[in-house]
Amino acid sequence: VGSEMCKETDAESKIPIKILRIVDGDTIEAQINRNKFSVRLVGIDCYETCRIHRAYRQAYENNLSIDEVIKKGNESKLQ
């Protein structure tokens, strides 16, 4: 964090988005104008909610079953 203050023009150049839904603990679906995007939140690493490669890696790295990873991912989605 620098000591430089935000300029008024910085806020004016921002693009407003609409958050359509929370996909899981670290991903949202957003809309800009008529375009929809999946946005992964950097620096947040939640368990996955479906059986994708990353979920298997999380299971292996955390000594969990794939079902435990999915359960934890669904719990983070609900909170």
Side-chain angles (χ1 to χ4, degrees):
V1 178
S3 60
E4 185 176 314
M5 297 290 288
C6 290
K7 299 173 190 167
E8 186 175 325
T9 55
D10 291 341
E12 292 171 359
S13 67
K14 305 287 186 213
I15 299 171
I17 69 166
K18 180 178 181 181
I19 296 176
L20 301 174
R21 69 185 184 104
I22 298 171
V23 176
D24 60 24
D26 57 5
T27 309
I28 61 170
E29 186 177 290
Q31 182 175 346
I32 300 174
N33 298 323
R34 295 182 181 187
N35 301 306
K36 293 181 182 178
F37 300 93
S38 178
V39 179
R40 184 156 187 296
L41 304 173
V42 177
I44 299 174
D45 188 18
C46 291
Y47 287 105
E48 295 300 321
T49 57
C50 58
R51 293 173 184 267
I52 61 173
H53 176 73
R54 204 164 104 82
Y56 285 94
R57 189 183 78 220
Q58 288 173 333
Y60 176 79
E61 289 175 351
N62 294 289
N63 198 26
L64 298 169
S65 72
I66 189 65
D67 291 330
E68 290 172 307
V69 167
I70 303 302
K71 181 180 177 189
K72 287 179 177 288
N74 285 323
E75 288 171 355
S76 69
K77 183 178 179 178
L78 297 174
Q79 293 179 0

